[in-house]
Amino acid sequence: MDDDKLLAILESSQEGEERGLGPEERDPAETLGRLSDDALIEYMTNLSQGARKDFTREEYFRDKEIKQRERDEATRAGLGRANAPIFAGCTIYINGYTKPGRLQLHEMIVSYGGKFQHYLLAKKKVTHIVATNLPLKKRLEFRNYRVVRPEWITESIEQQKLLPWQDYALSWDQEQRSLQLKVASAPVSSAVDCKDPNFLKTFFENSRLHHLSNWKADLRSRFLSEGFNKPSPGDALSIFHIDFDCFFATVAALGCESCDINRDPIVVCHGSKSSDIASCNYVARKYGIRNGMWVSRAKSLLPPGVELVSLPYNFKEIEEKSKIFYTVLKEYKIKFDLILPISIDEAVCVVIDHHTPHPIDRDEICRELRSEIWKRTGGCTVSIGCSNTLVLARLNLKIAKPNGYHILTQQQLVENEADWHSYLGKFQIDDLPGIGYSIVSKLRSLRQHLNNLLQLKQYFHNSLPLLQKCVGKKTGSKILMYLHGKDDEESSRMIFEPESFFARKSLSIEINWGIRFDTVQEIDNFIDTCADYLVQKLQEMNKRTSQITLKVLRRCADAPIEPPKYLGCGECDALSHNCRLGIPTSELGVIATELKSTFRLLGCPPKDLRGVSIQFNKLIEVSYDQNENQQRLKLPFQKTLNFDVFDNLPSDVKNDFSKELKRRNIVLTSSPRPKTSYAATYEEKFMEELPTQIRNEVKNDLRINRKITRTKLSELREQNRKKKESIRNVRAHLLGHESLFEPIKFQKESRFKDICRIVMEWFDATLIEGPHEKDLLLFENYLDKLSDSNRVPLILRFSKLISVRLNLKSNQYGQEAGFQEWEQFLLKNVIPKLNKNKHTFQTVRKLDIDFDI
DNA sequence: CATGTGTGGTAGC
DNA sequence: ATCGCTACCACACATG
């Protein structure tokens, strides 16, 4: 189901009014407002059953086609400079989801001389069908047609000539063929250009941090699905913190015949200069090389004559070794009560002391585990820190590394103050878990030469308030606990409440490398790809989200366009914005629309974008609650749909709806009035597809509508009628019709369509030298009026219009001053207006002022 | 004071 | 060349 069809339905509801229905039918809402919910459903059913039957399928479509043709002609006429009529003689139909989207393709086809067919009614007229993939049924249906991929359109325009459609024919076994192509070309081309649709995939395949995060998530979910014994607070515990020594480097070295991990300085990385070192062995560390350092810096640390050995990642082998590691832990003769996954190569194993008949031999456990892992992995060493608190197990691990183990309990350590102090003296402050660069520098700002934990303890002298003032309330008390060898509440959760600790509460991705875009359209496409990736995961988890956040990295004003790191993000400002969806969803359409709209709110110039992050914040389990739809039916905004029009749609269109509902996993209860359910859900879907900002506006309008229809005082009736008319007027604007009431004029035109045409002519004429400042002011003034009278959706349409056009012209005019001025104008003057009228009370007030006269 | 938002920090190699 | 992820907590501040 696409926007065009949605619009078609709603437009046909408008047409119904134009066809001169009686006042009663014209506005069912007036009657509906006074009825109870049950009576309402009854009423709707009657309404739809009593609807006119003479509205045939052919009439409906012919009417639509004529209107569409007119619109296309207008668009074409609106082009100042005629584009080459590349698609002259072609009548093109678009099937299903495509990239670029249907609207963009439509625009391209029409502006380059082609005809666009909205419906496949008259198949004979259609010369080409555009699709990216087809369900089996459609394959049969289209088997005698020229079915092409969307690239046929875009590349024909790029090359300014009609390319042979055969080269873009959609192979029925598209998936297989593209797979073959990928396999064949994988070693040669890695999509390093973020505009490439495969960029995300190749990037993730090669990103160590992505792998680490993904592995961790997998391990956590596996942990939750397996059994464990939960200790109670107060239980005596033996905690083994087990961790591979320079894991990636060891694995890489094992796969490298010619190198010796005990002799050569080895690093794992992709490149040779600004590439991050994922892991380095202890030989390299001897020279001061560290994980995370750039290769160029590492090289500079080596004395002359010593060569750095750079090895590539071997993610597959890493997974294999890790699998062995966790298997050894699981199969060990002493059953661990908990095997807590920390990372791909790191786990915390817990024995509840009273669960074993005899006191366990911790020394033996450490030795046996280490040798078993070494044997089974073919030469990987792990180190083990053992204690009875998490923090001390971790600190002991630090001492144990590399290739050793260390066992000391809290009692042993803290009993003797002198021993405890000398122990603390061995550690840096950021050796404490959860304490990093930033907190250390906060502490240092209070006292410069804090180097080890002993100094930290002595300086703060158990003065909690001072510490808390410096680093924050929780962090302060956490540090103080650590300085007594105890775990704070938050870290203890891992042991005592593992279910909640390891449960997933959010889902996100983030890409801060290789991001270089020119236009909003390209970014939209990228956001689509990301949203698709995330939604797929969300659906696999059987969850929905009700709040999403978009975070963006924008190049700092004074940062160079290209940072020192190749395709890195460089110095950036992070901007983020979250939006609530009202109803939890896992639908790509809703989510992607919302994200793209949110991106515009953040106001980041496309060329300055350096990073993108998308988060699903509030996750809920999908429930097949039978009542869900019942509740939904009670939402007020659903009651204004003209059901008679819906009911008069051709039956195959209605079938499409129901299929679509099924596809989207909307469960319909066996309602006695399924038509009503479909219809009600249907408008709701339309609403959900709108960005929240606009959705709220519309909802609010409808809410007001309902409120007004409930008013019974007769002296207000006339006033109310006017109000309703004006509200309908707002709705008409949403659909792009001309205003029926108090039209706002621009250049003496008041019809939206005409204004669009003028703006487009103006746009095309000024692409090179740029629009005149005074004209821009006039236009902005018009936009402000739209904004003030609550016609934000119209502004959105202008934004889309301009941005689609910019994209279309970017090849030819991208470098022109005029083009760039328009781009700036769109970003700085048009899009911000979409965010106006944010508060509903304003909307109410404005409606009263504007229309109550 | 309770709640929500945007920002920032940390961990794993 | 190069693959600077991602979940989660804590904080500062705004809002009412």
Side-chain angles (χ1 to χ4, degrees), chain A residues 30-55:
Chain A
E30 181 164 6
T31 322
L32 301 183
R34 301 196 193 99
L35 299 171
S36 70
D37 283 306
D38 282 346
L40 187 78
I41 291 169
E42 188 71 25
Y43 175 83
M44 286 175 176
T45 316
N46 292 336
L47 196 66
S48 52
Q49 281 166 356
R52 292 166 301 124
K53 301 283 185 210
D54 57 344
F55 194 40

Side-chain angles (χ1 to χ4, degrees), chain A residues 539-671:
Chain A
Q539 288 174 349
E540 277 165 19
M541 299 184 316
N542 205 28
K543 298 227 165 119
R544 291 184 188 164
T545 177
S546 62
Q547 185 183 38
I548 58 191
T549 302
L550 181 72
K551 191 179 93 180
V552 143
L553 292 190
R554 187 186 59 195
R555 181 176 65 86
C556 281
D558 48 355
I561 304 280
E562 282 309 321
K565 186 183 180 73
Y566 176 66
L567 287 181
C569 59
E571 199 191 341
C572 286
D573 294 322
L575 313 167
S576 74
H577 187 81
N578 95 43
C579 50
R580 288 171 177 258
L581 299 172
I583 301 166
T585 183
S586 60
E587 276 177 51
L588 180 59
V590 178
I591 290 168
T593 306
E594 200 65 42
L595 287 168
K596 286 181 272 191
S597 160
T598 308
F599 176 73
R600 283 152 178 79
L601 290 184
L602 288 174
C604 172
K607 290 183 178 178
D608 288 341
L609 186 69
R610 290 291 178 273
V612 175
S613 157
I614 298 171
Q615 298 157 36
F616 295 172
N617 298 319
K618 297 215 183 316
L619 302 184
I620 60 145
E621 202 83 29
V622 172
S623 76
Y624 294 96
D625 185 0
Q626 293 268 311
N627 292 323
E628 196 178 345
N629 279 298
Q630 303 283 318
Q631 284 164 9
R632 284 173 164 219
L633 274 175
K634 288 178 186 162
L635 292 171
F637 61 80
Q638 292 161 350
K639 294 175 182 172
T640 52
L641 189 71
N642 286 331
F643 292 101
D644 53 344
V645 175
F646 173 80
D647 201 51
N648 269 293
L649 288 171
S651 64
D652 63 337
V653 174
K654 268 192 282 191
N655 277 340
D656 274 358
F657 291 170
S658 15
K659 270 187 234 151
E660 181 63 15
L661 291 171
K662 240 185 198 166
R663 191 186 69 75
R664 292 180 177 192
N665 228 351
I666 297 160
V667 183
L668 287 167
T669 52
S670 54
S671 157

